[in-house]
Amino acid sequence: MIGWDFSFAMGGAGFFMGTQERFEIGEYDANGELRRLFRLPDADLTLSAEVLQQALDQSVRNADEVSRGQERAFAADLPRRNTLPGYDKFLVDETGYLWVCTRDYSAPGQMRCGSEWHVFDPSGSWLGAVAMPADFEPTYIGEEWVLGLHIDDLDVPRIRLHGLIR
């Protein structure tokens, strides 16, 4: 189901936290004081009725036959939102850059991180978007490489290391 989640990552001398309600992530020091906000203000997070219905339909299709009626009733009772989550998750690399993954809503029922990652420098400036290979989920980003899991055609995860040119 489409909803907002809480995301958290450690990095630098503090931590990063966001609720996905909008494309906004706070960087906090070790005492919990807000240091800066990372924003992508032009992100279109409009939730169309079509995308919402696709997500609801997918949720019902994914349930087993016994649970489908319960899933329909549960989905009907959920509060409706007007916006999509601002992002899926984020990582902080070795040099303090924030990498934020947006969800890919182009395929019905897609509820995981897509291949587009937005990169912010340590001052909070947006640098641009980076396309990751399909079926690859970064888990750690170094200065010259990205380490992560590649899911093959048989859904078997394999560790991959890709070069990174800054």
Side-chain angles (χ1 to χ4, degrees), residues 5 25 67 77 81 83 87 92 103 110 115 125 143 152:
D5 296 315
I25 299 164
S67 304
D77 290 339
R81 303 187 190 284
T83 60
Y87 47 86
V92 181
R103 288 186 182 170
Q110 178 63 278
S115 61
S125 295
E143 194 168 344
D152 68 17

Side-chain angles (χ1 to χ4, degrees), residues 4 9-11 60 79-80 87 95 126-127 132 134 139:
W4 294 322
M10 298 296 293
V60 170
R80 298 296 186 249
Y87 47 86
T95 58
W126 179 69
L127 301 177
M132 294 288 177
T139 56

Side-chain angles (χ1 to χ4, degrees), residues 30-103:
N31 296 320
E33 296 292 322
L34 179 64
R35 293 174 56 186
R36 72 182 52 88
L37 289 172
F38 295 77
R39 293 184 176 130
L40 192 60
D42 296 334
D44 181 10
L45 304 177
T46 304
L47 175 58
S48 69
E50 179 184 20
V51 169
L52 179 60
Q53 191 60 51
Q54 287 175 350
L56 294 172
D57 292 346
Q58 184 69 35
S59 178
V60 170
R61 277 194 301 276
N62 288 344
D64 59 46
E65 276 192 52
V66 175
S67 304
R68 283 192 182 138
Q70 293 172 333
E71 188 66 27
R72 274 192 200 93
F74 175 74
D77 290 339
L78 284 175
R80 298 296 186 249
R81 303 187 190 284
N82 296 324
T83 60
L84 296 164
Y87 47 86
D88 187 53
K89 62 181 162 188
F90 48 82
L91 298 169
V92 181
D93 72 16
E94 287 182 344
T95 58
Y97 285 68
L98 179 66
W99 294 67
V100 183
C101 181
T102 56
R103 288 186 182 170

